[in-house]
Amino acid sequence: AQTVTQSQPEMSVQEAETVTLSCTYDTSENNYYLFWYKQPPSRQMILVIRQEAYKQQNATENRFSVNFQKAAKSFSLKISDSQLGDTAMYFCAFSLYSGAGSYQLTFGKGTKLSVIP
Amino acid sequence: EAGVTQFPSHSVIEKGQTVTLRCDPISGHDNLYWYRRVMGKEIKFLLHFVKESKQDESGMPNNRFLAERTGGTYSTLKVQPAELEDSGVYFCASSHSGPLTFGAGSRLTVL
């Protein structure tokens, strides 16, 4: 069975600064996907970024980037130039892929990020 | 494109009562998932539909939970009778060939 660990229950960052959220996982599989999801207060959870395990290059989406260390089973999220709208709960998730859009996600407990003006 | 819609957004019931949660996935998404987050714990997988068929229901906690997906469109998750430990946020998600799109969740409070 897979497990995902987020060791930082809460974090805060000053607006315009950079923050890194940690995530580690455990699996015996070699092919899998990793995700960061964001849930703003009272709103739906949205996908921030996705990484395929077979890709060595770290995924990037605008101000969001990951540091994927496969051997260490680490998948951290870096948010650059933090904005007030980044305030949210951030979930790291793992999934094997069974084809045809079939993902069964295993989530970490989440990190509550507060961006301070 | 309309997103994944869930209702009610919040339901408060007493122990022993019945509650039905509904999820309307994105049109054309064959895959529909239910997840649950109990306070302070991880979001846990409950079950996965492919169209109207249950692909995997290994996460369903017990037989008080019944999920259906009529005609492969919307899905309902019924809890009968509800217990205190069923309190939490129930998320629905759907996908076609890409990553999951989540709804805003239905918060269930059992008193």
Side-chain angles (χ1 to χ4, degrees):
Chain A
Q2 285 69 228
T3 59
V4 177
T5 302
Q6 292 179 251
S7 58
Q8 305 149 315
E10 291 192 44
M11 293 189 72
S12 61
V13 62
Q14 290 290 137
E15 195 174 6
E17 297 290 304
T18 295
V19 64
T20 298
L21 309 183
S22 301
C23 174
T24 59
Y25 59 95
D26 190 25
T27 183
S28 58
E29 302 291 334
N30 192 48
N31 295 315
Y32 49 86
Y33 292 76
L34 294 163
F35 306 85
W36 278 99
Y37 279 88
K38 160 187 176 182
Q39 187 179 25
S42 302
R43 294 178 61 186
Q44 70 186 97
M45 194 153 47
I46 58 174
L47 178 66
V48 175
I49 201 164
R50 174 178 71 166
Q51 175 82 43
E52 291 92 337
Y54 65 87
K55 290 186 177 179
Q56 293 185 342
Q57 186 173 7
N58 289 324
T60 299
E61 285 290 338
N62 301 313
R63 298 182 294 107
F64 299 87
S65 61
V66 297
N67 183 3
F68 174 47
Q69 301 290 326
K70 191 172 183 179
K73 295 179 182 175
S74 171
F75 183 61
S76 61
L77 174 70
K78 185 171 81 171
I79 306 174
S80 303
D81 185 26
S82 297
Q83 300 175 0
L84 297 179
D86 295 334
T87 293
M89 183 72 82
Y90 286 80
F91 294 98
C92 178
F94 170 101
S95 177
L96 300 175
Y97 182 61
S98 305
S102 178
Y103 298 86
Q104 182 178 322
L105 299 174
T106 300
F107 285 90
K109 287 187 176 182
T111 296
K112 184 177 181 181
L113 176 68
S114 299
V115 180
I116 302 166
Chain B
E1 172 180 81
V4 177
T5 305
Q6 291 187 248
F7 49 92
S9 58
H10 192 187
S11 180
V12 181
I13 61 173
E14 293 190 350
K15 175 182 173 181
Q17 290 185 320
T18 297
V19 64
T20 300
L21 310 178
R22 174 169 169 149
C23 169
D24 285 76
I26 292 173
S27 179
H29 281 195
D30 289 340
N31 296 283
L32 187 150
Y33 302 78
W34 284 97
Y35 287 82
R36 176 175 75 170
R37 186 182 187 210
V38 174
M39 182 65 71
K41 297 193 174 182
E42 297 90 341
I43 300 170
K44 294 284 194 182
F45 166 81
L46 296 179
L47 88 160
H48 170 205
F49 283 99
V50 177
K51 296 184 180 178
E52 68 276 7
S53 300
K54 292 176 185 175
Q55 182 77 9
D56 182 352
E57 53 183 331
S58 61
M60 295 286 265
N62 51 61
N63 59 10
R64 295 184 295 102
F65 288 75
L66 176 63
E68 295 179 323
R69 190 178 183 190
T70 306
T73 55
Y74 70 91
S75 176
T76 58
L77 179 64
K78 182 163 71 173
V79 185
Q80 179 183 30
E83 298 288 345
L84 298 179
E85 63 265 26
D86 300 332
S87 294
V89 181
Y90 290 76
F91 293 100
C92 177
S94 70
S95 71
H96 177 58
S97 58
L100 274 59
T101 300
F102 282 83
S106 291
R107 180 176 295 277
L108 174 63
T109 302
V110 183
L111 303 176

